[in-house]
Amino acid sequence: AFDELIAIKKTVRVPLVVHGFNRKAGLLRQLVSAGFYISFGKDILDKPHVQEALRETPADRLFLETDDCTTVSIREIYEQAAALRGITLEELQEKTNQNYSTL
């Protein structure tokens, strides 16, 4: 239903977040271009196509979560995301905090 979601986004002026993104980078680019924020969870730990999407997500559109998993800590998610993006954990935390404030 991503086509429908993108169509809806064109008609509203509120920020929207795609929760638990686990698709390929091509769809990510469409969503970001439409103005969506993207939130990643445990799939960044072991799914190469999701890791690629995470690396391509603009820093000002990125969120992280553990809503889809009770066995992985948010710290593990942040550590993996920081490593995949080649930044420090602190830089990643600062950026997601900024995104939260903006949202």
Side-chain angles (χ1 to χ4, degrees):
F2 284 107
D3 289 336
E4 291 87 353
L5 193 58
I6 290 170
I8 290 168
K9 177 67 175 122
K10 292 177 182 177
T11 67
V12 299
R13 292 190 155 292
V14 297
L16 298 175
V17 180
V18 174
H19 174 73
F21 188 82
N22 62 2
R23 304 297 177 107
K24 293 185 178 182
L27 178 58
L28 167 91
R29 289 188 288 275
Q30 290 179 320
L31 292 167
V32 168
S33 179
F36 285 88
Y37 288 86
I38 310 296
S39 183
F40 293 89
K42 68 177 174 63
D43 288 332
I44 67 167
L45 299 176
D46 59 3
K47 295 192 174 155
H49 70 280
V50 180
Q51 292 171 344
E52 177 186 350
L54 174 87
R55 283 190 290 268
E56 286 195 30
T57 302
D60 66 345
R61 293 288 164 181
L62 177 65
F63 286 104
L64 299 167
E65 63 183 81
T66 58
D67 294 0
D68 59 351
C69 181
T70 59
T71 60
V72 177
S73 72
I74 192 67
R75 183 168 185 87
E76 290 175 86
I77 300 292
Y78 267 80
E79 288 172 347
Q80 176 72 351
L84 289 168
R85 294 178 68 85
I87 61 174
T88 68
L89 185 58
E90 293 76 20
E91 289 171 313
L92 180 59
Q93 290 170 326
E94 182 179 323
K95 192 59 197 165
T96 55
N97 284 338
Q98 288 173 355
N99 292 346
Y100 175 74
S101 294
T102 301
L103 184 72

